[in-house]
């Protein structure tokens, strides 16, 4: 795929290599009309379970991208690699530390043309990603907008990702942040569980990411793809 194609995506399913999905469910997800599959997770992601899931998704013609959460699980063969930079982490490791180690380790083998940095702002204090990254989540609209603007303008990040993993976020805030961005793509993920939440999120953000509901209620997950035609 052409790198810039991701800028047209409206809907993604995020699949966790550490979770089980049977062939029938995966078939329906991959044929759902979603724009792409993103593979990634906060814990339990290994080289082995990532390769396995990638090879199963590769039977289908839609793009498959990896969101890298640790250096040991990086697998060749994805269409693009999304790299989270957690702008509101209190620990520099999640902003530049691990990234610097990855560049040091992989050096000239990094296909830079396939790398898409994501300026993350993690906003649900109870999610695993917030705990793991020690993110500062008690932020108001102007705080989050400032992170988004900083990511876009100072770091030239092509994607800003508002992450509410596990709970549906404050759509007013998401809408407000969108007003502050000029060219970065605004990704929203967290608590999209049906067509209603998907529609609301898609009205505020450029791209919505649907995760857990795939494993909890497949039919409801599949309905979220409708936002593409609205
Ligand atoms: C997680 O943003 C995604 O990284 C999706 O969140 O699992 O709550 O849908 P959910």
């Amino acid at each position: 795929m052409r790198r810039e194609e991701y800028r047209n995506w409206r809907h993604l399913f995020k699949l966790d290599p550490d979770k089980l999905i049977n062939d029938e469910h995966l078939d329906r997800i991959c044929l759902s009309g979603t724009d792409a599959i993103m593979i990634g997770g906060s814990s339990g992601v290994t080289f082995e379970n990532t390769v396995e899931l990638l090879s199963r998704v590769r039977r289908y013609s839609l793009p498959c991208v990896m969101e890298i959460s640790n250096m040991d699980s990086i697998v060749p063969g994805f269409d693009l690699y999304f790299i989270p930079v957690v702008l509101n982490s209190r620990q520099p490791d999640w902003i530049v530390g691990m990234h610097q180690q990855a560049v040091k380790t992989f050096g000239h083998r990094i296909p830079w043309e396939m790398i898409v940095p994501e300026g993350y702002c993690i906003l649900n204090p109870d999610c695993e990603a917030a705990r793991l990254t020690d993110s500062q989540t008690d932020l108001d609209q102007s705080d989050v907008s400032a992170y988004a603007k900083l990511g876009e303008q100072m770091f030239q990040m092509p994607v800003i990702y508002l992450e509410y993993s596990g709970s549906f976020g404050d759509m007013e805030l998401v809408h407000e942040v969108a007003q502050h961005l000029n060219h970065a793509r605004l990704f929203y993920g967290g608590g999209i569980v049906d067509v209603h939440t998907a529609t609301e999120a898609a009205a505020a953000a450029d791209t919505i990411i649907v995760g857990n509901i795939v494993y909890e209620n497949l039919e409801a997950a599949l309905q979220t793809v409708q936002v593409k035609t609205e």
Side-chain angles (χ1 to χ4, degrees):
M1 62 169 276
R2 266 190 329 107
R3 182 183 191 275
E4 295 307 307
E5 249 177 59
Y6 78 86
R7 299 192 66 82
N8 299 322
W9 294 345
R10 286 284 284 152
H11 180 285
L12 301 181
F13 281 122
K14 192 187 274 192
L15 298 183
D16 186 340
D18 195 32
K19 289 186 180 156
L20 295 176
I21 183 165
N22 67 37
D23 283 342
E24 187 217 325
H25 285 199
L26 188 65
D27 187 68
R28 296 187 64 198
I29 287 292
C30 291
L31 297 175
S32 64
T34 186
D35 289 306
I37 302 294
M38 176 176 266
I39 292 183
S42 297
S43 63
V45 180
T46 64
F47 185 86
E48 287 73 23
N49 60 22
T50 305
V51 168
E52 204 224 328
L53 187 53
L54 171 65
S55 63
R56 291 173 69 203
V57 174
R58 276 293 186 233
R59 295 182 199 138
Y60 303 88
S61 62
L62 81 177
C64 186
V65 302
M66 182 176 188
E67 186 174 61
I68 298 177
S69 54
N70 72 67
M71 261 205 306
D72 304 326
S73 64
I74 302 172
V75 169
F78 281 90
D79 290 303
L80 293 173
Y81 294 86
F82 284 74
I83 317 285
V85 169
V86 185
L87 297 169
N88 63 328
S89 172
R90 295 187 185 87
Q91 295 183 21
D93 259 4
W94 294 98
I95 308 168
V96 286
M98 287 186 230
H99 314 68
Q100 185 258 1
Q101 284 300 306
V103 175
K104 189 173 158 191
T105 305
F106 297 109
H108 63 274
R109 284 182 290 156
I110 298 176
W112 290 106
E113 68 288 354
M114 296 169 78
I115 302 287
V116 183
E118 299 172 301
Y120 254 71
C121 210
I122 303 178
L123 296 166
N124 171 12
D126 300 321
C127 73
E128 199 178 343
R131 281 192 292 273
L132 187 69
T133 61
D134 191 15
S135 287
Q136 191 190 346
T137 56
D138 55 337
L139 303 172
D140 64 20
Q141 276 185 17
S142 57
D143 290 318
V144 181
S145 294
Y147 271 125
K149 195 92 190 154
L150 172 108
E152 179 191 73
Q153 295 296 334
M154 271 178 73
F155 297 142
Q156 297 291 305
M157 285 167 163
V159 172
I160 299 295
Y161 192 135
L162 301 184
E163 173 67 289
Y164 281 90
S165 180
S167 79
F168 194 60
D170 175 351
M171 287 306 120
E172 210 178 289
L173 181 148
V174 177
H175 203 270
E176 182 64 25
V177 170
Q179 307 307 310
H180 285 81
L181 295 177
N182 294 327
H183 41 80
R185 189 95 188 145
L186 186 61
F187 281 19
Y188 170 84
I192 296 174
V193 291
D194 53 22
V195 69
H196 174 70
T197 43
T199 305
E200 258 196 82
D206 298 316
T207 305
I208 63 166
I209 293 94
V210 178
N212 270 322
I213 197 67
V214 169
Y215 302 94
E216 288 162 7
N217 182 341
L218 184 75
E219 300 304 327
L222 291 168
Q223 284 176 14
T224 65
V225 182
Q226 284 177 31
V227 297
K228 286 195 60 195
T229 49
E230 280 168 2

